[in-house]
Amino acid sequence: MTQRTLQLAAVATAFSPDPREAAAAARVNGFRGLQFDAFSAAMNLTDLSQTGRREFRHMLSGNDQQLVGVRVDVGNKGFGPGADIDRLLTQFDKVMDAAKGLGAPLLCVELGPLPEPVAAAKPNPRVDPAQAGLIIIPTLNDASPPPQDSRPVPGPDPKLIANVDAALMEICSRADRTGVTVALRSELSSFAALERAMISARCPWFGVDLDPVAILRDAWTSDEIFSQFGSLIRHVRARDAVAGSDRRTRPAVIGQGSTDWSELLANLDSAGYRGWLTIDPIELSDRTAGAIAGAAHLNDAAS
């Protein structure tokens, strides 16, 4: 891979819950940008006045930091049964207004559970008898058809589909009004479910917040994910994990997990992605050390 300089940022709380301390620590440790939670114990970005927003931007620029974006989590219920969707949409109004006022180019959204489409069976690879050597391959007339499972495959909950699709259309309308790009992800759902939701929304303001740990967990291969989403990647949530059985993962420092970062960066290059990689070490015991070690590994992988 051709060497290039990565745009490396970090989640602000990797350094400190206090925004000023986080910005100073990011600068000292060589980061160029920070991503902030819209709602945290230390600050609610939606409550900032116009003066507060100016001071926030000045604080970042004074530490040579760019505001990579704001992130928000819809919650474990997502837009499903039991969720207060009207409250969530009102919250999005406030978050997008804050993002625009702060000059944030991006809003990263964790959507929670999404409707899972019925999985289509992948075709078995075709074997050409002429290339099979001495292997005896039955002809179509000789081969017995595989047994068919007559049990119906349950589809996604229609109410969840309706809720999610309607909510995303409303978020798209708000993104269009404010001019804020929205990068979507879902830790509780597959990439196939995310694809279904985005196709249904057909929103030009929507893209993907790519999470390498989600790639480790997913039934789709990395090639399939980049084939479907490569041109839609708007942000990379840089974190790592050790992959175990049943697609379970255990958090790890970037470079100490199962992600092949050289391959991932090459795929991002091929997809034309030149945006931020925001290191998210929140699940690690030592967040600051994890962010610093992760940045070092990513720079090495890019060289």
Side-chain angles (χ1 to χ4, degrees):
M1 184 177 67
T2 303
Q3 182 175 359
R4 66 180 176 93
T5 301
L6 300 177
Q7 292 197 85
L8 294 182
V11 175
T13 49
F15 299 109
S16 172
D18 180 271
R20 294 183 183 278
E21 293 179 0
R27 174 178 54 80
V28 169
N29 288 291
F31 288 88
R32 300 170 55 201
L34 288 171
Q35 183 186 55
F36 285 85
D37 291 299
F39 307 102
S40 68
M43 177 177 289
N44 181 344
L45 294 182
T46 67
D47 285 343
L48 292 177
S49 64
Q50 293 296 330
T51 300
R53 292 174 181 178
R54 285 195 299 270
E55 291 176 350
F56 189 89
R57 295 194 299 266
H58 180 72
M59 175 270 296
L60 289 177
S61 64
N63 284 283
D64 296 323
Q65 296 298 301
Q66 295 186 47
L67 178 58
V68 172
V70 174
R71 68 178 190 173
V72 66
D73 190 332
V74 174
N76 290 335
K77 292 182 180 179
F79 298 107
D84 187 341
I85 296 179
D86 289 337
R87 181 189 65 81
L88 290 173
L89 293 176
T90 299
Q91 185 182 85
F92 269 99
D93 279 328
K94 296 178 180 179
V95 171
M96 287 187 178
D97 180 69
K100 181 180 180 180
L102 291 170
L106 189 68
L107 175 64
C108 293
V109 180
E110 166 57 49
L111 289 171
L114 299 172
E116 291 287 347
V118 176
K122 295 183 180 181
N124 292 324
R126 182 179 179 275
V127 180
D128 186 346
Q131 299 176 343
L134 298 178
I135 300 176
I136 298 176
I137 299 177
T139 64
L140 289 176
N141 292 331
D142 297 332
S144 299
Q148 299 294 320
D149 189 345
S150 60
R151 292 174 299 179
V153 178
D157 179 3
K159 182 172 178 56
L160 179 58
I161 291 177
N163 284 359
V164 168
D165 291 355
L168 288 179
M169 289 180 64
E170 289 293 333
I171 294 171
C172 180
S173 175
R174 287 158 171 76
D176 185 59
R177 186 168 62 247
T178 57
V180 174
T181 298
V182 181
L184 305 174
R185 69 170 188 269
S186 174
E187 286 195 53
L188 300 176
S189 306
S190 67
F191 279 98
L194 181 60
E195 180 192 40
R196 190 218 65 83
M198 293 183 67
I199 289 175
S200 178
R202 297 189 181 278
C203 180
W205 294 96
F206 285 175
V208 173
D209 186 6
L210 186 68
D211 183 352
V213 174
I215 295 177
L216 295 175
R217 295 172 179 163
D218 206 78
W220 284 5
T221 67
S222 179
D223 287 343
E224 288 172 321
I225 291 168
F226 272 93
S227 176
Q228 295 300 112
F229 292 114
S231 63
L232 295 172
I233 298 171
R234 299 292 178 264
H235 179 259
V236 177
R237 183 189 187 192
R239 59 180 190 150
D240 208 344
V242 176
S245 60
D246 297 325
R247 299 194 178 94
R248 297 177 183 272
T249 58
R250 176 170 51 81
V253 175
I254 289 175
Q256 298 178 21
S258 301
T259 299
D260 184 334
W261 288 97
S262 294
E263 178 185 25
L264 183 70
L265 293 177
N267 284 335
L268 289 170
D269 276 341
S270 297
Y273 182 73
R274 294 294 184 272
W276 291 95
L277 286 82
T278 301
I279 296 176
D280 183 354
I282 302 306
E283 294 183 336
L284 302 178
S285 57
D286 190 334
R287 298 175 176 181
T288 300
I292 295 169
H297 184 82
L298 289 175
N299 282 321
D300 287 344
S303 62

